[in-house]
Amino acid sequence: AGFASANDDLAEAMLPCVRVGRYGGASGVMVALDDDYGYGLSVAHARGEARTQKAVGIGTVKGVTVQGEWLASDDEHDLALFRIPAKDVISIAPVAQELPSNGNWRLIGYPETRGPKVVTLRFQDAVVNGHVPKSPRWQSTVVSGVCGSGDSGAPTLNDKHEVIGIMSHGIDGKVSQCS
């Protein structure tokens, strides 16, 4: 409640954000909905070593944990797809139709059980580790806030609150996103 009141412009954008896994796990975001299921994105490394395990607990911003299922993951691009029953979806986030090229963005992480937090990022570079991967990636610097354990899988939002990427990892004030 305190978080939403301090960031009223982002209160609605936080509704699709989820916590993936138990004991902190990772972050994620719901991006699609049909009659039966809601579909979300997170990071492949959130699945850990148990790649054969299908079940995953998904925590919502309302403090409810629901049973989800991993559907697919791509280790090379560090992306994973999961689903939960449609009745448990609070909201879905719109996905941007164009890749970003610069500007400030917001990352909504969901570390441990403390609820969502906002980190402001500034575009830095579209090249990561000296090469351009098959999937678009970019690096940004942290302007305000702190990225930490449990923020992997967090959605990166543009100024329209559309998802433009998923946080893969961060180190030394730099954040790498994939889309």
Side-chain angles (χ1 to χ4, degrees):
F3 179 86
S5 62
N7 295 285
D8 286 335
D9 65 318
L10 289 174
E12 189 171 326
M14 286 186 275
L15 292 177
C17 298
V18 296
R19 185 179 81 278
V20 178
R22 296 177 185 247
Y23 312 113
S27 299
V29 63
M30 303 306 299
V31 294
L33 182 67
D34 65 23
D35 291 340
D36 299 315
Y37 296 100
Y39 300 88
L41 294 173
S42 188
V43 285
H45 72 259
R47 293 187 74 176
E49 299 299 318
R51 293 288 195 250
T52 58
Q53 184 175 337
K54 289 285 227 174
V56 60
I58 304 294
T60 70
V61 294
K62 292 189 176 181
V64 176
T65 299
V66 299
Q67 188 64 37
E69 177 183 20
W70 291 112
L71 297 177
S73 62
D74 179 343
D75 291 335
E76 181 180 357
H77 300 108
D78 199 19
L79 287 172
L81 176 69
F82 62 88
R83 71 180 180 187
I84 63 175
K87 66 179 181 55
D88 296 319
V89 175
I90 296 170
S91 179
I92 61 168
V95 176
Q97 299 301 307
E98 296 180 17
L99 289 176
S101 59
N102 57 38
N104 285 344
W105 309 322
R106 301 280 180 84
L107 179 135
I108 301 180
Y110 211 115
E112 298 177 17
T113 57
R114 293 187 300 263
K117 69 174 185 179
V118 176
V119 177
T120 303
L121 306 172
R122 179 172 296 123
F123 174 81
Q124 180 185 343
D125 198 343
V127 178
V128 177
N129 296 329
H131 69 282
V132 179
K134 293 177 186 175
S135 175
R137 279 188 178 261
W138 55 91
Q139 223 173 12
S140 51
T141 54
V142 174
V143 175
S144 67
V146 176
C147 290
S149 179
D151 290 332
S152 294
T156 303
L157 308 176
N158 62 16
D159 60 352
K160 298 176 191 171
H161 299 170
E162 298 169 321
V163 176
I164 57 173
I166 300 295
M167 178 183 166
S168 177
H169 61 279
I171 188 168
D172 296 330
K174 309 280 188 233
V175 176
S176 177
Q177 291 95 13
C178 45
S179 65

